[in-house]
Amino acid sequence: MCGIAGYLGPKTADSVLIVALERLKYRGYDSAGMAVMSEGEIHLRKAAGKLKHLADKLEAQPLSGHCGIAHTRWATHGPPTEANSHPHLSTDGRVAVVHNGIIENHEPLRRALKDQGGIFVSETDTEVIPQLISTLYRAGGDPLAAVRAAVARLEGSFAFAVVFADQPRRIIAVRQGSPLIIGKGKAYDPAEPNREGRTEVFTKGGSTAARELMIASDAPALLPHAQQVCFLEDGHLADLSDAGVAISTFAGVPVEAKFKPIEVTAEAVSKGSFDSFMAKEIAEQPTVLARLLESRLRTGASGVEIVEPDLGLDLKAVNHVVFLAAGTSWHAALLGKRFLEQLARIHVEVDISSEYRYRNPVASGGTLVVAISQSGETADTLAGLRLARAKFIPVVALVNVVTSTIARESNGVMPLLAGPEIGVASTKAYTAQVLALYLFALQVAKAKGLLTPEAEQQAIAAARALPEQVAATLRETEEEVCEAADLFASAQATVFLGRGGEHPTALEGALKLKEIAYVHAIGYPAGEFKHGPIALVTSHLPVVCMVPKDAMYEKMLSNLQEVRARSGRIITVGQKDDQHLRDLSDHLFGVRQAHDDLLQPILSVLPLQRYAYHVARRRDCDVDQPRNLAKSVTVE
Ligand code: M6R
């Protein structure tokens, strides 16, 4: 979704902001723009399409100011044209705004502002914001008061930043429902602006009062300039100037700006030696799983044990869990249901967040909602969480971004510790979610007295074997995956079939292929296939069958035979030394066998992640930033 950035400091703003936009790209975008203040004017550069188009424009016509705002736009209202890209200006060109979110009452506002002489040049909902602020500013003369009065008239969920032509070193940032972070960097002397080199840093050894200030939708965009960050809360606005950061509520009550050291590193948000973030993140999985696991284990008097998470809850009293999630996180939730049912014997529902939020769910005393989200910002999951809390249902968040809104609004947090996930396709966060859910189910089982010490030790041993098994599986399946991708990259469609724990894997394999390779793909419960979709099978259709050696093995073989009998092309994911399966397959992605069947999906999904990646590459797709997609879906 849209990304916002802003900079105030000694460096040339365009050089800082273009890097910030580069780091926001992963959120998904289709145009970009920037506004920089100089000589009492707001200067704009905008470009439709890739960020490079904007960078080329800036190269040809640099902007020379030291304060500015910038934006990557993911189109909602109006196509991704230059006219619709942000920043948007007021009719007099004296106010500029970048915005993330949706202004729901933009139509009546637009009509009213037009009646007052406003001239609109875009189809966006955003354009009403600078027009409205400008009108109020001209009437009252106080920028902060104008922003507050404008916010009072806006409906929807949004974050925006505004600059005024006659306030050349000031940015006002507003948050109501969409994330916004403030960054603070090095000290410098504001009396000595840098008018020379485009990237030169002017600092005075920390002896002056002013500090470099930034805003962004996401922490990586603040790097490398910010050293400290402050998360703006809903209903708050921040006034950034050479005097520092002043935060207040929309009603004008001052709020303390709480800064803390930035945790994300520049290395964590770079590709390193990989050709894409997706490739890097797939390769990181052994490390991610090992880190997560060790964070949940403790060596006590009786040996290694699973640590009870500090969720502020009595897990023993939980008798009903509702998982809320979207996309890949929803697939992880489906596995969470299996784990909790099998290990803790409790009733579990798995809900798609966008459906749950508009129902009237029933809650009993022992209900717990678990919101699963890599980003922690998915609008529907957040809305579902708020609905649950309004019904006094406790909510635990399983998130990767622990500073996210979902984490902050939940009663307890289970962090994934996967590090920043930049590729739009979720990979390392997914396997971390599945392992975290397994550990959570064990904890609930333990709290209920359903986990014997022996069973706990076996589960720990099975989980501890995973990082090595993941590394081996990635290594050992690569050649076969590449061969299959060579063969099937031009296939029009692909079907993924699985049963039990491998049904979510089939869904996940299909989603990966759809989102990054643009191949029509469906994941289906294998037993359901003959109730309709089997009609799709021809000799051109690759059918990926998940056939680990588990309780469903024979059933899966029968389903595989049904596809074979209709000449479908068979790719299987199964045990690497399963010769029978190999004989039945056109291609076998031979994975390692988990020591606990419940954990097998973590291994089975790995070749499917790599398969989607290789097919996408062969189809010339941008694996990190697939068309139409956003990393965090912060609007409905
Ligand atoms: O950040 P979240 O886990 O809440 O995101 C949910 C989905 O938008 C996300 O998993 C999406 O489906 C991914 N692009 C899948 O790879």
Side-chain angles (χ1 to χ4, degrees), residues 326-329 372-378 381 424-426 433 508 511-512 515 629-633:
T328 283
S329 297
I372 307 179
S373 173
Q374 186 285 129
S375 62
E377 300 294 349
T378 298
T381 306
V424 162
S426 190
Q433 283 167 341
E508 179 60 7
L511 179 60
K512 291 288 92 95
E515 69 178 334
L629 288 181
K631 180 67 178 164
S632 323
V633 183

Side-chain angles (χ1 to χ4, degrees), residues 400-463:
N400 195 29
V401 183
V402 287
T403 48
S404 60
T405 315
I406 288 176
R408 284 183 288 132
E409 293 198 14
S410 297
N411 301 88
V413 178
M414 295 188 279
L416 290 177
L417 309 176
E421 191 179 67
I422 310 280
V424 162
S426 190
T427 53
K428 63 176 179 174
Y430 174 68
T431 47
Q433 283 167 341
V434 176
L435 178 59
L437 287 166
Y438 177 74
L439 297 171
F440 177 62
L442 289 168
Q443 283 152 351
V444 178
K446 199 170 165 184
K448 288 179 173 291
L450 294 174
L451 189 71
T452 63
E454 298 72 43
E456 182 175 4
Q457 290 314 309
Q458 278 169 13
I460 291 172

